[in-house]
Amino acid sequence: MSRRLRATALAGALTLAMSGCGGVGGGGDSGGGSSKGSGALSTMGFGFSDEIAKTRVDAFKKDHPDVQLSITEGAFDEQQFLSAVASGNPPDLVYMDRKLIGTYAKRGSIQPLTDCVEKQQIDMGQYRQAAKDQVTLDGTVYGIPEFSQVRVLYLNETVLKQAGLTADDVNLADWASLPAVNTKLTKVSGGRLSRIGIDPKIPEFLPMWAKADGAEMISADGAKANLTDPKVVEALTTGIKLIQDQGGWGKFKSFRDTFDFFGAENPLAKNQIAAWPMEDWFLNQAAKNSPKAELVVKPFVDRQGKPLTMSSGQAWVLTKGAKNPEAACAFVKQMTATDTWFAAAKARAEARKAANLPFTGVWTGNTAADKKIFDELYRPTGNKRFDDAVATIRAAQDTAFAIPASPAGAEFDKAWTDAVNRVLSGQAQPAEALARAQQEATAALDKAAG
Amino acid sequence: MATTVTPSVPGRRRRTPLARREARWAYVFLAPWIVGFLVLTAGPMVASLWLSFTEYDVINAPRWSGLDNYRQLVSDPQVARSLGNTVYYTALHVPLVMLISLGLALLLKRVGRWQGFFRTVFYLPVMTPAVAVGILFLLLLNTQDGLINRGLALLGIDGPSWTTDPDWVMPGIVLMSLWSLGSTVIIYLAALQNVPRDLYEAADLDGAGAWARFRHVTLPMISGSLFFTLIVNTIASLQMFTEVYTMYFGNRQTQNSFDSDAASFYVIYLFQQAFQFLHMGFASAMAWLLFLIILIITAVQVKLSNRFVYYEGEDR
């Protein structure tokens, strides 16, 4: 009796041990046909989050009545995507972060867009170079860029005045001066950090700090890591010091985690931060939630004072085994075309006007679209701070670089991000952590290169 | 269901038509589970065993690589690191859950009229989705504004950096894991209520005190339940994934701001290898190593159970 019970317990335990989780498949019918495309077309990773998405999709549906478009809403999910590809039933198109493209392109899960660009006569010259770099591997285009997010330096002038400083005193070209400025701007009350002075935004912006110091963290072909470059070490050391001078990572991060960047109680409105580089989208949030804030936006600069920024964003990719490549190509062409972007921006401007909110523009991966939007649609709000900020961000778009596509992009990212986190948590010194990251990244890149 | 009594005779027993018919129907009713097990569990297990000897990225056909993936298990320091973290977590989590659950169950047993209410209260947290638990505890464990450190501050204790200090990450995760001990409490309560009262009465007559009654009556009588929860909680701990992934790896922002060495669990690293780095063959090898570890630990526990587990009606 007891032996049998034990055997049953063991069998049950082993079954429990082996239990796992399943993937998700996609769906779609065959299609194809005319140059405009027809039949079923499915996408993954895209959603109708706002009028920008909806207007563009509506435009495609109107011009392509023969295409039955099926958009599976929700963010890109690696597991779902791979399961769909492995099951031989992938969506036609996937909307994904551009930095993932190299990995998937190298594995052959997404298709080169050479034919697509040629047949649909997509003008690749209209897209921003930094965005194109991220979707190009070994000279072949694998994605069509969508938005273009850049980073600029946000300054809270209210806080600067309280500290007896001006926006010019926060000089990112002069790294030696930053600790003193940081100390003046940081506020500690009752042993708790109550205002961040300068947030260097590391790990995520380390490539931009390194670039400002003249170093590329990865080679232009995405095949060689360069994490032990003394300039990368110097960039990391500079960022780490700014955080350590504010009480260390634990206090700094836990305070920053309480921020609500999307609400009326944002750190700018509550004077919880003085200076920080951040993506351009924060300007829209600030205009919407804190129109009276004393915000100054400056370009991020290199050590010579030359404007510099890091670009990122999404792209449309065509999956391996896509059943309706023709309609898919027609879709991405229209979604990223100048006129479509313009119509979407117009819808955004009208929505903002109806809500009595300022329209601060739309920044896309298409230079022609941005020019048309800002020349013909955008009107200064009358709030000089925000109008100057829009001009700064617009100019920054032309100074952008991007981390190039890499066959082991995800592993490269993890290697250097982990290194920075190890330094932040006090487990390693910058040089030591980056040396380990270099080893890990090199192993991954070499393996991916085959 | 009708039962068929067959004479106990040596040699081969002939089954009656009724017994055969009942057996057929039993298989009919079992068929959905059997098919499900073969297609959804056994099949994938066999496939993953084969894939563990290949280089497979999900997209291209697997390429036979022999023992390469198993060699990499030994040479990849992150495997040892994540396995160490997982074992450390298990060693903290399982005894704590069992002790606290037993304490709560003993208290519940004495509550009387309010037992139903408290049983519900203790079990409710189990109903919280794991992802929500991860997000909730990220807020609760915030160094500066988290409820836990605020509570400690009231006692004059300067709370640690639960999510950023590598030494405190794991204790923070263990703390979070106690959120869902309700199911263990319910199992123990059921076991405690099944202990025959006459055993306690006999112990009383023998002059046994509270501790002696607990030690010599309660513990042996609920040892089967203790053993069951030991095995189940050990396996669950070794497979820890969802809550920690949500807290420390779930999105770009968390990935970019936490020390992933300190929070890296074995199954999380397995998942990253499979779905982020597309090394499905290596991930399969990792899965089989975990299976072996669980098999060995469970076998040891079963073996040791001979000494401390008592099943009612069993000769000892």
Side-chain angles (χ1 to χ4, degrees), chain B residues 224-241:
Chain B
S225 297
L226 291 172
F227 174 58
F228 169 75
T229 54
L230 172 71
I231 285 186
V232 168
N233 282 319
T234 302
I235 291 169
S237 302
L238 292 168
Q239 292 184 322
M240 177 58 148
F241 176 79

Side-chain angles (χ1 to χ4, degrees), chain B residues 74-97:
Chain B
V74 179
S75 64
D76 184 347
Q78 192 62 27
V79 171
R81 208 172 289 124
S82 60
L83 192 57
N85 284 345
T86 307
V87 171
Y88 173 42
Y89 166 79
T90 303
L92 280 175
H93 166 84
V94 176
L96 263 178
V97 163

